[in-house]
Amino acid sequence: MKKKQYVLSAIALILCIALYIGGKTVPDKSAVTHAEGDGHDHSADGSQKIDFKAILAAAKENITPNQAQRLTALENSVTRGDVKEQQIHAFHEIARFWLDSARKFELYAYYTSEAAKLENSEKSLTFAARLFLDRLMMSGDPAMQTWLANNAKVLLENALKINPANDSSRIGLGSCYLFGNISSNPMEGINMIRQVVEKNPGNIYGQMMLALGGKKSGQYDKAIERFLLIVQKEPDNIEAIFHIAECYDLKGDKTNAIVYYEKAKELVKIPQAKEELNNRIMELKK
């Protein structure tokens, strides 16, 4: 990776933390990259897969004895629960444990999804799916991206059975295919999203996913067009503004990159992000 891409990745990560987590929960390093022995399993073709049991076991090694005792009691309450409502409650309690006590977002999302599958309401299914999708957009680890996408996919498919007309669920499902490495044909995901956007060009979520897909594939001009459509409707959409700047930067258009980095710097509230943006602007002015 070139030096410029390292810089852009650092800025992007800071902004993603601000955008998706709201500054309340700093994602652990597993959201971005993984080392051997942290839950990855190697398949016969040499590719990596996420082993949830290994992730859970590794996480349990890093909690206190009191926390372990509390967690064991919660896990036992799931198996003892003789009615669905008791199991749903137990899964929610385990999810909150991993979020509040242990700061393991993937485990929080997983147990929230287990509760959602039992509840089987559109609201609970789409909420849980969005947890996986938001982290998917932050992750730089292909194996983790696939794990996140597959989990979101199951939830969104169930949600669409309840309400086939939910455009957001359809866009989310397309995003699983587009960004989650779960299909050898990315057009499968793009077409799902395009169907919604062609029907409703003002769908910001759909335009954002298509723009990010264009950026991912190196089609920077097409991506910029879609990001600009978003900014026309939402002038303070810092995510779209930052991606416009990054697209211009990646294609070598320093002048326009500076313009949009400056716009992003005006809107971002996190001092570290402001500093990173300012550093990038100064680099481009040299």
Side-chain angles (χ1 to χ4, degrees), residues 230-267:
I230 295 169
V231 174
Q232 286 173 7
K233 288 184 172 293
E234 299 181 355
D236 292 339
N237 190 314
I238 186 174
E239 184 180 4
I241 290 169
F242 169 75
H243 284 299
I244 293 171
E246 194 175 37
C247 284
Y248 277 125
D249 197 344
L250 289 167
K251 66 180 290 204
D253 186 339
K254 294 183 178 182
T255 301
N256 280 309
I258 290 171
V259 169
Y260 283 93
Y261 279 137
E262 290 283 6
K263 289 179 184 291
K265 190 174 71 170
E266 291 173 7
L267 293 170

Side-chain angles (χ1 to χ4, degrees), residues 41-57:
D41 183 28
H42 292 267
S43 61
D45 62 2
S47 61
Q48 289 186 330
K49 295 187 296 183
I50 294 295
D51 181 350
F52 175 74
K53 290 182 179 179
I55 292 177
L56 180 60

Side-chain angles (χ1 to χ4, degrees), residues 39-96:
H40 282 61
D41 183 28
H42 292 267
S43 61
D45 62 2
S47 61
Q48 289 186 330
K49 295 187 296 183
I50 294 295
D51 181 350
F52 175 74
K53 290 182 179 179
I55 292 177
L56 180 60
K60 286 182 176 181
E61 291 179 359
N62 293 315
I63 59 178
T64 67
N66 286 340
Q67 288 175 327
Q69 185 176 6
R70 166 66 175 156
L71 180 60
T72 298
L74 291 172
E75 290 174 335
N76 289 339
S77 69
V78 174
T79 57
R80 288 197 305 266
D82 56 357
V83 294
K84 184 172 69 174
E85 286 71 21
Q86 290 175 333
Q87 292 179 319
I88 291 171
H89 177 73
F91 279 132
H92 279 305
E93 287 295 304
I94 296 172
R96 279 191 286 269

Side-chain angles (χ1 to χ4, degrees), residues 1-276:
M1 184 182 290
K2 296 179 181 178
K3 180 181 179 182
K4 177 171 76 173
Q5 291 173 299
Y6 276 121
V7 174
L8 297 180
S9 296
I11 299 171
L13 177 58
I14 293 168
L15 289 175
C16 281
I17 292 169
L19 290 164
Y20 294 111
I21 309 301
K24 295 179 181 179
T25 305
V26 177
D28 53 69
K29 292 180 181 179
S30 65
V32 182
T33 185
H34 291 264
E36 188 174 354
D38 63 353
H40 282 61
D41 183 28
H42 292 267
S43 61
D45 62 2
S47 61
Q48 289 186 330
K49 295 187 296 183
I50 294 295
D51 181 350
F52 175 74
K53 290 182 179 179
I55 292 177
L56 180 60
K60 286 182 176 181
E61 291 179 359
N62 293 315
I63 59 178
T64 67
N66 286 340
Q67 288 175 327
Q69 185 176 6
R70 166 66 175 156
L71 180 60
T72 298
L74 291 172
E75 290 174 335
N76 289 339
S77 69
V78 174
T79 57
R80 288 197 305 266
D82 56 357
V83 294
K84 184 172 69 174
E85 286 71 21
Q86 290 175 333
Q87 292 179 319
I88 291 171
H89 177 73
F91 279 132
H92 279 305
E93 287 295 304
I94 296 172
R96 279 191 286 269
F97 168 85
W98 285 116
L99 180 65
D100 297 334
S101 300
R103 302 293 183 182
K104 293 294 183 182
F105 187 86
E106 283 80 10
L107 295 179
Y108 162 66
Y110 176 82
Y111 284 105
T112 299
S113 74
E114 292 299 292
K117 290 171 188 174
L118 288 176
E119 290 172 6
N120 199 37
S121 70
E122 183 184 13
K123 182 178 179 180
S124 62
L125 290 165
T126 54
F127 174 80
R130 193 58 188 258
L131 295 177
F132 288 114
L133 285 172
D134 285 351
R135 187 48 62 100
L136 170 62
M137 303 312 294
M138 294 173 64
S139 177
D141 178 352
M144 178 57 73
Q145 288 170 345
T146 300
W147 183 79
L148 293 165
N150 277 322
N151 277 282
K153 175 178 174 288
V154 170
L155 295 162
L156 291 168
E157 287 174 341
N158 289 342
L160 284 167
K161 290 177 184 177
I162 298 171
N163 181 10
N166 189 316
D167 286 343
S168 293
S169 293
R170 198 160 299 281
I171 292 168
L173 183 58
S175 300
C176 292
Y177 285 94
L178 184 55
F179 301 104
N181 314 305
I182 62 175
S183 172
S184 59
N185 180 18
M187 287 303 298
E188 188 173 358
I190 291 172
N191 288 335
M192 289 183 193
I193 303 171
R194 275 183 179 166
Q195 289 173 6
V196 176
V197 172
E198 287 173 0
K199 180 179 65 175
N200 178 16
N203 189 304
I204 299 297
Y205 183 30
Q207 292 287 7
M208 180 67 78
M209 292 302 104
L210 288 176
L212 289 171
K215 179 185 171 189
K216 179 184 178 182
S217 63
Q219 300 178 72
Y220 301 125
D221 289 330
K222 289 183 178 180
I224 289 169
E225 287 180 14
R226 291 194 183 275
F227 286 129
L228 286 171
L229 287 174
I230 295 169
V231 174
Q232 286 173 7
K233 288 184 172 293
E234 299 181 355
D236 292 339
N237 190 314
I238 186 174
E239 184 180 4
I241 290 169
F242 169 75
H243 284 299
I244 293 171
E246 194 175 37
C247 284
Y248 277 125
D249 197 344
L250 289 167
K251 66 180 290 204
D253 186 339
K254 294 183 178 182
T255 301
N256 280 309
I258 290 171
V259 169
Y260 283 93
Y261 279 137
E262 290 283 6
K263 289 179 184 291
K265 190 174 71 170
E266 291 173 7
L267 293 170
V268 73
K269 304 299 183 185
I270 297 179
Q272 187 182 359
K274 280 185 179 290
E275 183 180 355
E276 293 288 350

